Structures are given as structure tokens and as C-alpha cells.
Amino acid sequence: MFQVFAKEVWASVGMFAAMVLSILSRIIIWIIYQNMIKETDNMSATKNKVLKQCKLKFANCYQLNRGVANVPVFVDKFLNKLSLGPISLQTMYHLSGQLMLLGVFFAGVGVCRSIIAGRSFGDLLPYYIVSFLGLYVYFSVSAITDIKEKRRVLKTSLVDYLENHMVNKLGGVERDLAIVAPPISSDAAKDRSFRQQQTSFGKSEEKELEELLKEFLT
């Protein structure tokens, strides 16, 4: 019965390839998010490169702007930029559904070509079986992995850490710099205040801040 796949090779290959890639995409995204969620339990000592990059970007943003006004928006932007090679995870997520539809399309092409060739219903049946089986597996994997929920949990964990831990640490670094900073005259204070409007820290302070940041980010 399944010999029809050998008779319509390109349609069969396209069908199987698209469906397998569709399901694998969902699983890969789930693995990435799941690993990051596990690492957020110990963000201060995480070895995950993506989470380290998130901490560093947040620290730089905090340093340049003297704070981060909206942490959830910062996390959203960071998560939207996550990628696997040249493809972002958001694009891969949406592409997964399109690949499954493409697989069903190839199955339909195989059925049409088989009808034109005058094959029996028994020769058409394998395409229907594979299509229904592929759709069943796809929706089952989608329900089990629940990518949107994983992304929401990851965002919540990151926002919690950045707001309740990173902000306090970075604020403490700034207070330490203010304590060790040498006293300055009123005229110098005015001049320094003006310069701080142009840049967050002086060169020496910025260097000292970076060194302090590295101590608790690494």
C-alpha cells in the first residue's frame, strides 16, 4: 500500500521533510526555553551564555540611563531577539506551523497526482494516514511543550531577578562609588552635574563600575 510513496518521490519527500521539521522546531524551542528556565533558579551563578548576556545588557542599560524604567519591556525585547543561528525563536515558532501546512499541501499534491495517474483508493490512503498522523503528533507536541507558557514563565523569572536582585546590586554599586568619590567644590559640582547629563559616569567611575559589575556578574 505504501509503495505509492516510491512512485511520487518528490511529493513524498516534501511531505515527510516538512512535517518532521515542523515537529522538531517545536521541540527545539521547548528545550531552549526549558534550559533557560532551569538556569533562572540560580541566576547569580548561571553558566548559560544567553542569561549572562541578558544580565550584562541590563547592567549596561542601567549604567547608561541611571536606571531601567520598564523592566518587563526590556525583558520582552531581549526575548524577542533570541535566535538559533540566523533564525529567531519567534520566527521558528511561527514557521513550525507553516511547515506542517506545507507537509499537508505536499500530501495533497501526491493525492492529486495519484488520481490523475488512475491509481486506486488504496494507493491514495497512505497520504491521508500520514497527514492525519502528522497533524496529531504536531498538535500533541504543541500541547505538551506549550511554548507560549514556557516563554511567559521565563519572562516572569527574568523580571523578578532583574527587579529584585540586579537593581539592588547596581544601586549598591552606585552608592559605593558615591561614598568613595572625593569631595568637590560647589563650582566643580555644578560642572560635574552638567557633564553627568551628557554621560552617566566619568571615565574613572565608569571603569570602576565595570570592574564592580564583573565581580558579581561572573
Side-chain angles (χ1 to χ4, degrees):
M1 182 174 65
F2 291 94
Q3 292 177 352
V4 68
F5 293 143
K7 297 175 183 178
E8 299 293 341
V9 177
W10 70 271
S12 302
V13 171
M15 176 183 66
F16 283 110
M19 289 183 175
V20 170
L21 286 174
S22 172
I23 296 168
L24 281 178
S25 297
R26 289 292 170 111
I27 295 174
I28 290 171
I29 296 172
W30 176 80
I31 291 173
I32 293 173
Y33 280 151
Q34 186 65 23
N35 287 340
M36 291 178 66
I37 290 172
K38 286 182 63 177
E39 287 292 324
T40 55
D41 292 337
N42 189 18
M43 279 284 288
S44 59
T46 182
K47 295 181 180 180
N48 187 286
K49 292 182 179 180
V50 177
L51 295 180
K52 282 185 175 182
Q53 185 181 25
C54 177
K55 291 165 60 178
L56 186 58
K57 282 187 175 182
F58 185 84
N60 290 336
C61 183
Y62 190 98
Q63 172 188 345
L64 293 172
N65 301 310
R66 303 302 294 270
V68 177
N70 198 327
V71 177
V73 172
F74 172 87
V75 174
D76 265 330
K77 289 181 177 180
F78 179 80
L79 292 178
N80 289 336
K81 293 179 181 179
L82 291 180
S83 63
L84 185 64
I87 305 176
S88 69
L89 295 188
Q90 284 288 87
T91 300
M92 186 182 295
Y93 175 79
H94 295 296
L95 188 61
S96 175
Q98 299 302 314
L99 284 171
M100 179 53 64
L101 292 178
L102 182 62
V104 174
F105 170 78
F106 275 117
V109 171
V111 168
C112 291
R113 289 178 62 86
S114 296
I115 292 174
I116 294 173
R119 299 188 180 99
S120 65
F121 177 75
D123 291 329
L124 305 180
L125 193 58
Y127 287 106
Y128 292 106
I129 294 174
V130 173
S131 295
F132 285 122
L133 183 61
L135 288 170
Y136 173 77
V137 174
Y138 171 79
F139 286 116
S140 297
V141 170
S142 297
I144 293 171
T145 56
D146 198 357
I147 302 300
K148 289 184 178 181
E149 176 64 14
K150 292 295 180 185
R151 190 180 190 278
R152 187 192 67 78
V153 172
L154 178 59
K155 176 184 175 181
T156 301
S157 299
L158 288 176
V159 170
D160 175 64
Y161 175 78
L162 295 178
E163 285 186 339
N164 298 320
H165 298 277
M166 282 285 288
V167 169
N168 291 335
K169 288 183 178 180
L170 292 169
V173 170
E174 288 191 355
R175 287 192 296 271
D176 291 343
L177 287 176
I179 292 173
V180 301
I184 53 177
S185 64
S186 58
D187 292 337
K190 292 179 181 178
D191 181 62
R192 182 174 178 178
S193 176
F194 175 77
R195 290 199 308 271
Q196 284 182 336
Q197 293 177 1
Q198 307 300 320
T199 178
S200 298
F201 296 97
K203 291 183 179 179
S204 60
E205 293 175 343
E206 184 176 353
K207 183 177 179 181
E208 186 174 355
L209 177 58
E210 289 178 355
E211 292 176 353
L212 290 171
L213 289 175
K214 290 178 181 178
E215 290 181 5
F216 70 85
L217 285 176
T218 56

